[in-house]
């Protein structure tokens, strides 16, 4: 049988529950504008009834507050995080592709088309008075403006690659920071929840961190309860919360976490000829590879990597045919011959293999090479890599014959390496054709200038790179002379341009040495414009300019020069077409995923967000409940007062 004060106990439980509900409502209203806050609600249930041994059996014993829980739907969280990863990728591409468009945009003054048209007009003027020094000087000036354009564009792209590289490091640092904070929160949450309460605010903070992390890299979350090690059937109240990134790699697990490190590639570890020094590779702190080019990776990190390393799927790869030894720079070392099939590797105009040494993966083992040569033997295109045994962990041996070899990886996006390769390819092809026109020129200014001077050169490694022998004559026969319009020897060497052994031709690299960053105007032509040859027959008069006419035809004839099935003048349209397509895709997907992000977030907020109108209704509801419970207590107090004080004997 219940006590005479049982009703007061029941009313008190209602008062306490209503008070908890009011406090929770107040907390919700106070945090209505707090980012990441989840609406909370009181979970209540009826107390166990009291058996009274009467005809009605049991008497209700009031109400009890079981918990104060967050109102949140994990399904929408997962959808939001997956969408954020994709949004992060296209957010980066959206920004940088617009920058690339600005770089290549032709403003009619300093853009490629404007400069190319200026060069074309200068050639037309030369046909009117071929022997005039002024018209030659104007033409040479237009060529210099064109080389300056490519030099500046090359510098801009390398600067962008550096910016992307630094952003990758900043992103990795932020991922590490988030991992550390997650581990701390996991410990705090378990400490609180193992005592029987729910750490609502801390859980909100943790999921807010996951919101940010999902923008940087793809995430996979798992949480499962922990059992007592001494009693596997007893739940401890704690949980194991794990965070995986980049296709399932463990970042955070309970109170522990892994960190990522950025390792700068050294000058002899470059993957592409056009790469800047110091590009970062990412590894786990235990030395395991992170998989920076993994197709499963998403988020800002993927967008940055694709832009920094995007080679449109073309990279150095092949199969080892032969392993041998040779003497290089007076030192015995190993050589590895690799057969290749990719068209970009069989055309030196498109080749982008590092020229300052690199790291190659052969049969699962990394080795270092210091130089290479290209040749076709028996219809098989092959590279012979000269290894740097001092840097290798082990000297390569015949067991690697038949194994696959690769420098870098395929990154199926048109990033900085792709656009640099396109610029180099155009310059190399155009230089080759122009050289073929001017190499045979006969200049009328005297015996010393029996051949027209080159117009373009490149200052990089002048002791190694030369284009070709003049009219097939042996090296050194025409000491002190130069020929053609484009060369890349940098400076006219003492004793003649071709006095040294033609190592470039011997190594089969063709015009590989020309890049948009090193092409320049021959200083001899800038000093003496008359050294530009315009005719090929000594008996021709001053009005003859056969070579200039050929040059004019070269600019618009696909038969004489073709770049991606277009003419020389189509270069910018080709590149802008690539950029515009990538920019359009990035913009479309960015807008799509940004819209989805807002829609999913609205769905999340419709469940977990604080609706001030709804809370106002709850405020009235719980206030009434509180008032009624108070009235019940007052009523029972009056009853007990009458019973005890006024009916007593």
């Amino acid at each position: 049988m219940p006590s005479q004060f049982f009703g007061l106990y029941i009313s008190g439980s209602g008062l306490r529950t209503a008070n908890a509900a009011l406090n929770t409502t107040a907390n919700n209203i106070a945090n209505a504008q707090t980012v990441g806050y989840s609406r909370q609600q009181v979970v209540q249930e009826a107390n166990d009834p009291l058996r009274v041994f009467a005809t009605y059996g049991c008497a209700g014993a009031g109400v009890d507050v079981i918990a104060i829980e967050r109102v949140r739907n994990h399904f929408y969280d997962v959808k939001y995080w997956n969408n954020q990863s994709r949004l992060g990728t296209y957010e980066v591409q959206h920004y940088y592709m617009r920058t690339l468009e600005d770089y290549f945009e032709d403003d009619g003054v300093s853009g490629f088309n404007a400069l190319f048209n200026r060069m074309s007009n200068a050639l037309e003027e030369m046909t009117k008075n071929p022997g005039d020094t002024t018209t030659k000087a104007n033409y040479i000036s237009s060529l210099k403006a064109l080389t300056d354009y490519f030099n500046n564009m090359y510098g801009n792209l390398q600067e962008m690659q550096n910016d992307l590289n630094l952003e990758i490091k900043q992103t990795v640092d932020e991922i590490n920071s988030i991992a550390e904070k997650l581990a701390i929160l996991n410990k705090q949450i378990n400490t609180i929840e193992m005592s029987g309460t729910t750490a609502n605010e801390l859980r909100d903070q943790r999921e807010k961190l996951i919101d940010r992390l999902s923008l940087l890299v793809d995430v996979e979350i798992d949480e499962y309860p922990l059992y007592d090690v001494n009693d596997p059937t007893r739940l401890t109240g704690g949980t194991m919360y794990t965070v995986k990134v980049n296709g399932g790699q463990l970042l955070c697990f309970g109170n522990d976490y892994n960190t990522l490190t950025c390792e700068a590639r050294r000058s002899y570890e470059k993957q592409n000829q056009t790469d800047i020094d110091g590009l970062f590779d990412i590894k786990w702190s235990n030395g395991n590879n992170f998989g920076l080019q993994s197709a499963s990776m998403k988020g800002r990190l993927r967008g940055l990597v694709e832009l920094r390393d995007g080679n449109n799927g073309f990279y150095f790869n092949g199969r080892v045919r032969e392993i041998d030894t040779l003497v290089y720079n007076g030192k015995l070392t190993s050589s590895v011959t690799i057969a290749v099939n990719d068209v970009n590797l069989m055309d030196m105009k498109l080749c982008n293999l590092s020229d300052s040494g690199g790291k190659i993966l052969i049969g699962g083992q990394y080795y270092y090479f210091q130089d290479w040569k290209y040749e076709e033997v028996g219809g098989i295109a092959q590279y012979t890599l000269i290894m740097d045994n001092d840097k290798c962990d082990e000297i390569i041996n015949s067991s690697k014959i038949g194994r696959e070899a690769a420098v870098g990886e395929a990154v199926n996006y048109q990033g900085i390496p792709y656009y640099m390769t396109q610029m180099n390819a155009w310059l190399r092809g155009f230089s080759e054709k122009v050289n073929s026109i001017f190499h045979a020129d006969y200049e009328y200014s005297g015996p010393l200038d029996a051949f027209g001077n080159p117009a373009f050169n490149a200052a990089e490694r002048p002791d190694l790179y030369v284009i070709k022998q003049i009219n097939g004559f042996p090296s050194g026969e025409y000491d002190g002379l130069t020929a053609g319009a484009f060369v890349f020897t940098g400076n006219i060497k003492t004793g003649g341009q071709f006095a040294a052994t033609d190592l470039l031709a011997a190594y089969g690299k063709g015009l590989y040495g020309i890049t948009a960053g090193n092409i320049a105007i021959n200083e001899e032509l800038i000093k003496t414009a008359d050294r530009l040859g315009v005719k090929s027959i000594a008996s021709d008069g001053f009005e003859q300019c056969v070579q200039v006419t050929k040059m004019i035809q070269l600019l618009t004839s696909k038969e004489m020069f073709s770049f991606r099935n277009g003419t020389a003048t189509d270069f910018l349209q080709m590149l802008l077409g690539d950029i515009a397509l990538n920019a359009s895709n990035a913009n479309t997907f960015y807008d799509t995923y940004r819209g989805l992000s807002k829609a999913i977030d609205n769905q999340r907020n419709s469940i977990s967000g604080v609706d001030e109108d709804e809370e106002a209704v709850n405020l009235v509801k719980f206030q009434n409940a509180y008032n009624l419970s108070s009235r019940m207590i007052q009523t029972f107090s009056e009853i007990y007062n009458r019973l005890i004080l006024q009916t007593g004997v």
Side-chain angles (χ1 to χ4, degrees), residues 259-482:
T259 56
L260 297 167
T261 59
C262 291
E263 295 184 0
R265 297 173 193 162
R266 289 160 287 192
S267 59
Y268 54 84
E269 293 179 320
K270 291 170 63 174
Q271 294 182 359
N272 301 305
Q273 178 192 25
T274 56
D275 284 345
I276 62 171
D277 291 335
L279 292 183
F280 291 116
D281 286 323
I282 301 177
K283 294 183 178 180
W284 291 104
S285 53
N286 59 10
N288 291 339
N289 187 30
F290 178 69
L292 200 56
Q293 281 83 27
S294 171
S296 63
M297 185 172 67
K298 301 180 182 66
R300 286 182 59 84
L301 194 56
R302 175 175 179 173
L304 293 168
V305 170
E306 286 184 337
L307 282 160
R308 189 196 73 172
D309 300 335
N311 51 31
N312 204 29
F314 288 102
Y315 68 112
F316 184 87
N317 66 98
R319 192 172 294 276
V320 177
R321 294 191 67 199
E322 182 181 352
I323 294 176
D324 204 347
T325 58
L326 53 72
V327 176
Y328 183 81
N329 287 338
K331 188 174 182 180
L332 183 67
T333 190
S334 304
S335 67
V336 180
T337 301
I338 301 171
V340 298
N341 294 313
D342 286 354
V343 62
N344 280 37
L345 299 175
M346 294 185 283
D347 185 347
M348 287 297 101
K349 299 182 188 68
L350 295 170
C351 180
N352 199 25
L353 181 61
S354 170
D355 58 348
S356 60
K359 185 166 68 171
I360 183 169
L361 181 66
I362 303 177
Q365 176 71 37
Y366 280 107
Y367 298 91
Y368 290 92
F369 65 91
Q370 54 187 315
D371 206 344
W372 54 270
K373 68 177 181 178
Y374 171 77
E375 57 188 341
E376 292 187 14
V377 178
I380 298 176
Q382 63 183 33
Y383 283 72
T384 299
L385 274 60
I386 301 170
M387 310 306 288
D388 193 337
N389 289 343
D390 292 339
K391 294 185 176 69
C392 299
D393 293 335
E394 61 181 41
I395 297 177
I396 193 167
N397 56 58
S398 59
S399 66
K400 299 298 182 181
I401 295 177
R403 306 295 292 274
E404 292 184 354
V407 177
E409 297 181 49
V411 182
N412 292 304
Y413 189 80
Q414 294 175 348
I416 300 301
Y418 170 78
Y419 294 112
M420 286 187 167
T421 299
Q422 293 297 300
M423 288 197 300
N424 292 345
W426 186 88
L427 282 171
R428 291 165 182 171
F430 193 66
S431 301
E432 181 180 39
K433 295 301 180 181
V434 173
N435 286 338
S436 68
I437 292 174
F438 281 107
H439 267 163
D441 284 0
Y442 183 91
E443 182 55 67
Y444 47 80
S445 58
L448 182 62
D449 299 310
F451 295 90
N453 257 60
F456 289 87
N457 59 33
E460 191 168 294
R461 298 175 72 178
D463 60 324
L464 179 59
Y465 293 136
V466 295
I467 294 255
K468 57 187 295 188
Q469 297 168 351
I470 301 175
N471 291 336
F473 289 107
S475 300
E477 180 143 341
Y478 287 92
D479 286 356
L481 304 179
T482 57

Side-chain angles (χ1 to χ4, degrees), residues 39-52:
R39 178 169 61 92
Q40 297 177 14
Q41 66 181 12
V42 170
V43 179
Q44 61 187 58
E45 67 178 17
N47 282 328
D48 292 337
L50 182 65
R51 188 175 180 185
V52 296

